[in-house]
Each structure stands twice: as C-alpha cells, then as structure tokens.
Amino acid sequence: MTSTALEEASALLAELEQRREPDYAAFMALRTKVSSRPESVLGIRMKWLRQAVRQLSRLLTLDEAIELLHERALAWYEYKIIFGGVIGRLASPGDGLPFLYPLCDGWAVPDYYKEVLAGWARRGETERQIVLRSMAEHTHDANPYARRLTIVAWLDLIRHGLATPWAALNHVAPLQHDEAYYVQMAIAWLLAETTLTGDASIVEAIRTEITDATLLRMYQQKLRDSRRNSF
C-alpha cells in the first residue's frame, strides 16, 4: 500500500469511528441482534458505512483493501459490512467469495452480502455461475449464517432476473428442517416473497414441497407481515 493511500484510508476510518454511538450500538447489538457477538458492534449507522464503501473503493486496490480491512472485519460487525462492500466492487467473485462466507455472523451481514452476490452475478454469465456454485457449495455450511446467505441471496437474484423462483425453491426445500432460527426465517422470507409474485404454480409447489410444521408457521406469519407492509 502506498503511504498516501494508507494515510488517506486510515484517516477516513478514524473519522468514521468518530461516528460511533453507544446507545445505537446497544440497540443494534441487544435489541436488533445484528451480530451473534454483541461486543463486536461499534454503533455506526449504515449510511456512513455505505459512504465509506464508496470512498475506500475509489482509494484502494484489492490487495490494499484486504490488508487494511480484513483483520478489522474479523473483529467488528461494521467492518464486515465495509469489507464486503469494498470487496464486491474491487474483486471478482472467484477472488471475493472465499472471504465473505466465513464473515457471515448474525442475520444482518448475510442480508447485506446478498447485494454483493447479486452485484457480481450481474456482471455476466460466468460470474453468475460462480455465485450460484458458491451458494450450492455452502448450502450445508457448518456456519448457520453462511447457510442464511445461500438463501437470502436468491431474493436479489430473482429481483434482477438472474434466477427463477423455481431454482430458489429447489435450493431451500432440502433445508426446510434446518434447526437454526435465522436459517428458518430466511427460508420463510424467501417463500413469502415468492408467493407474493402471484405465480399460482410456484405457490402450489411450495404447498407440496414444504412440509416442516415450524417452517410453515414462520412462512404464514412472514406472508401476513409482507402483505401488511405492501399496502
């Protein structure tokens, strides 16, 4: 890393950390539970994290970003968001994906990383296939939050016309008995959003394929919530 880039990036991060809000950190860690490690939440709002992603992506090379940000991402929730966003802009999916799945922690990180995966998939067919293969490979990852990423990623892929609801259903049906709460909620969310497309055939397929009682209750609740929020 050049001394100038290091100085500018370090100054930017120092300024960012001045935006820490202890009350907001407590809310995010203990009430919203964005991370399974409450002590890792600094309390910096998302708008400042997204701004940092844009600035650091213009300032750093990929190697510099890894050198400066990866260790911080291992330690802190907000740096997981920043690192993922910067990697998404600077790296190819083949280079970036191995970093992201291990960093998934709590529900919020995979829910942000789904944007990163969709961004890669939109670059072209080769990149889309790399993203889809990674999702298949991590379907049964020991880390439940990595498994969550393989589920919520379908939301953005479908939204951008990069995957079909049928492919998503084929992915989550074998996961329906997963006992991890945030995995179950991810499946329920995906099924609810798929149902709201109004495609009668996929709705019927969900009724046929999804039989787990706990997941069905979550799905129905998520569907009710989504319908209320759509009006």
Side-chain angles (χ1 to χ4, degrees), residues 65-83:
I66 293 169
E67 180 183 341
L68 180 64
L69 299 171
H70 186 237
E71 286 192 12
R72 288 179 169 92
L74 293 172
W76 304 105
Y77 158 73
E78 283 85 352
Y79 278 101
K80 289 178 171 63
I81 301 297
I82 294 171
F83 181 72

Side-chain angles (χ1 to χ4, degrees), residues 62-177:
L62 175 59
D63 288 342
E64 290 168 348
I66 293 169
E67 180 183 341
L68 180 64
L69 299 171
H70 186 237
E71 286 192 12
R72 288 179 169 92
L74 293 172
W76 304 105
Y77 158 73
E78 283 85 352
Y79 278 101
K80 289 178 171 63
I81 301 297
I82 294 171
F83 181 72
V86 173
I87 288 295
R89 291 175 177 232
L90 298 182
S92 67
D95 290 334
L97 284 164
F99 285 105
L100 298 194
Y101 284 99
L103 288 175
C104 288
D105 172 61
W107 62 265
V109 171
D111 287 17
Y112 175 78
Y113 284 175
K114 70 183 175 62
E115 300 176 21
V116 179
L117 268 60
W120 277 324
R122 294 177 74 181
R123 293 182 183 180
E125 180 61 20
T126 298
E127 290 84 355
R128 186 178 74 91
Q129 290 302 323
I130 292 172
V131 168
L132 291 173
R133 281 198 300 272
S134 80
M135 292 161 60
E137 290 166 1
H138 289 274
T139 300
H140 300 289
D141 196 296
N143 176 2
Y145 303 110
R147 299 200 300 275
R148 181 180 173 93
L149 176 56
T150 74
I151 298 162
V152 297
W154 290 101
L155 291 161
D156 282 22
L157 293 177
I158 292 169
R159 187 174 300 120
H160 292 296
L162 300 166
T164 67
W166 292 98
L169 180 59
N170 289 337
H171 179 92
V172 301
L175 287 171
Q176 64 182 292
H177 304 297

